[in-house]
Structure formats: structure tokens, C-alpha cells
Amino acid sequence: MSTQAFSRRSFLALSAMLPFPLRAFVATSIPVGLELYSVRNELKDDPMGTVRAVAQMGYQCVEFYAPYFDWTEPQTKEMKELLDDLGLRCYSTHNSSSYFTPKNLNRARDMNLILGSRYVVMSSSQPKPGLDGWKDVAETLNSAADQLESAGLKTGYHNHEREFTPVEGKRPIEILAKITKPSVMLQLDVGTCLEAGSDPVAWIRANPGRIRSIHCKDWSPESGKGYTVLFGEGTADWKNIFAAAESTGGVEYYLVEQEGSRFSAFDTAKKCLETFRSMR
């Protein structure tokens, strides 16, 4: 019997012995991770050391972004071994739209399988003008979902401001949500949704079960601040975002993301996690 199987069975058995309020807490406890773009320079210089530092802060998972695609298979396996040693999970990766081409999708699939990922997320796209361009993006996601399903992987899409900015009277994110299969995760970036003038809570409630991960990035309209505010310092209504995500959205894990702040990248990540823990 594997250690993983034993620990899971032990966890379930022990959970059943807890008083109901504690069982409910354990059952609904959702891991929080770091989108590693937040520490991009550190990750480039020292991938293994950076992941160790993130684990030491108390993060439970990480999301690798596009440069992971250039790793060799041995490098990818070495990173998975480190994740296992640290008790970290990689539930998803961020991928350039070019990784969803027939030429690259199989490689993305294989690398995500090594990392133990669940979701291959398209991090952004460059569609043709008009809503037809966004329909093409949706069909690309559907095609990838069909191809990845047999390997036990799902696909997803990560929004920026442009997906919440109307085109021909309709928000592109609505086109993506309508045309993509229900299995395609709509990974919500809170900060960019806010900057576009949309309501993250309303979007989550409008798409039950589709918001399986959230980039917890704050935003401020104040001059010179924008995305440089730390988690909890901007305009995001985190209390109601969490409530909607957990009651309706189907969230499986949270990811802190920071584009930069007045602190170093590591200090920023640590401070954001401390604030996140204080809210949940």
C-alpha cells in the first residue's frame, strides 16, 4: 500500500471521528498556492530554491507559468520530486495559446502529467478582431479538452481585462463561458476583472461550478497603485468573493498572484499569504 493511499485513508478515518463543526471545516478547507509569476525573476535564477522558499512560507500549492514548457523531461521529474518532498501540489499550469496547437499540446500534456497537474490553463490569447475571434478561442479550448480528457487532464482559461471589456456589445468572457464545455475551467483573475469594471461576485454566481480556481490579485483605482497593492489593500470584496466561490463557483484551490509591490518579491508573497490566512 502506497504512503499516499495510507495517508488519505487515515485522513478520512480521523476526519470521521471529529465533532461535526470540525469535520465541516476540514471538508471545506481549500488550499492556497502561489502563481509563480509572482516570483518570476527568482524562479528564473533558481527554480528549486524558489519553490523551497515558497513552501517554507506556508503555501500549499504552486502554479507554474509558461517558461516551464522549456524544461527537459528530467528537469520536470526533478521538480516533481521536490514538490513531493515539500508536500506541495501543482494543480495547474499557465500556458501560452501556442501550447494548444497540435504541435505542442502533447508536450504540454506529458509535462503536466509528470507534475501531477489537473488543469492545462490558457493564460491569455490573441484572437482575431470581433466576437468571431473569441469563438475560435472557445473552440480551441474545446478541442484541447477533448484531447486531454483521455489523459485525465482538463483545460482552462485565465482572463485579463480584455475578456471583460465589451466587443460588439458583448463581453468576450461570456462567449467563452457559453461556447466552451462545462469541463473547461474559467479561472478568475479578480484584479483584472475589477479593472475592467466588472463584478467578480456576480460573475462567479453566473457560472456555477466553473470557477474552480481564482487568482487572488487585488487592484486599486488610485493613481500609481493599480496592481502594486498587496492582497487585501485594494477594492476587492474578498469576503463575498470567497463566499460565492465556495458556495457556487466550485472553487478547488486559490492562487495568490502579485505583479510587483513596494516590497521584494518574496516578502510580497509572504505578506499576501499572511493576510489571506487572516481572512479565511
Side-chain angles (χ1 to χ4, degrees):
M1 178 170 58
S2 70
T3 302
Q4 183 178 6
F6 174 80
S7 59
R8 175 171 171 77
R9 279 198 284 270
S10 299
F11 170 79
L12 292 173
L14 289 171
S15 297
M17 298 171 62
L18 294 172
F20 179 77
L22 290 179
R23 290 206 307 273
F25 171 79
V26 169
T28 58
S29 182
I30 297 169
V32 56
L34 185 69
E35 160 52 61
L36 292 173
Y37 183 78
S38 308
V39 289
R40 51 198 172 276
N41 293 327
E42 292 76 7
L43 187 70
K44 180 180 178 181
D45 293 340
D46 183 5
M48 308 294 274
T50 298
V51 170
R52 288 190 187 94
V54 169
Q56 189 173 21
M57 291 177 199
Y59 282 100
Q60 297 161 286
C61 54
V62 292
E63 184 174 69
F64 293 102
Y65 72 108
Y68 89 95
F69 192 79
D70 295 326
W71 295 346
T72 64
E73 183 175 316
Q75 285 176 314
T76 310
K77 289 181 177 178
E78 185 179 12
M79 181 59 76
K80 179 59 166 75
E81 290 176 4
L82 178 63
L83 294 176
D84 289 344
D85 289 344
L86 295 171
L88 284 177
R89 290 292 308 273
C90 172
Y91 293 114
S92 56
T93 59
H94 261 205
N95 301 266
S96 163
S97 58
S98 66
Y99 300 175
F100 287 76
T101 63
K103 176 183 176 181
N104 291 327
L105 187 61
N106 286 346
R107 175 171 171 77
R109 174 201 64 201
D110 293 345
M111 296 183 76
N112 275 266
L113 287 174
I114 292 171
L115 291 169
S117 179
R118 295 177 185 170
Y119 296 99
V120 181
V121 179
M122 186 183 291
S123 58
S124 63
S125 61
Q126 299 294 328
K128 295 181 295 185
L131 291 180
D132 285 345
W134 290 103
K135 292 175 183 177
D136 289 344
V137 173
E139 292 302 347
T140 296
L141 291 166
N142 283 338
S143 176
D146 288 341
Q147 295 174 68
L148 294 173
E149 184 177 5
S150 62
L153 293 169
K154 293 181 172 64
T155 191
Y157 189 85
H158 171 266
N159 68 268
H160 291 84
E161 302 98 292
R162 65 186 305 179
E163 286 81 6
F164 280 97
T165 303
V167 173
E168 299 173 9
K170 199 165 188 72
R171 296 182 301 178
I173 194 70
E174 295 176 64
I175 299 297
L176 295 177
K178 181 179 179 180
I179 296 178
T180 54
K181 301 170 181 293
S183 64
V184 176
M185 172 175 66
L186 301 174
Q187 186 183 64
L188 175 61
D189 184 300
V190 171
T192 56
C193 176
L194 288 169
E195 185 178 14
S198 289
D199 180 353
V201 174
W203 178 247
I204 294 169
R205 289 175 177 164
N207 293 276
R210 299 289 301 273
I211 317 297
R212 295 174 212 135
S213 72
I214 291 180
H215 273 206
C216 297
K217 179 169 65 184
D218 222 323
W219 177 78
S220 170
E222 293 185 42
S223 177
K225 290 190 175 181
Y227 297 116
T228 66
V229 294
L230 299 179
F231 173 83
E233 291 182 346
T235 60
D237 181 3
W238 292 111
K239 179 180 179 181
N240 284 319
I241 289 170
F242 291 147
E246 295 172 27
S247 65
T248 304
V251 69
E252 297 171 3
Y253 57 103
Y254 293 108
L255 293 162
V256 168
E257 183 185 24
Q258 195 76 25
E259 296 190 9
S261 81
R262 59 194 182 273
F263 303 104
S264 71
F266 281 145
D267 283 346
T268 295
K270 184 176 181 181
K271 289 176 183 294
C272 287
L273 180 60
E274 289 170 352
T275 303
F276 182 96
R277 293 293 192 198
S278 71
M279 290 186 181
R280 291 195 75 260

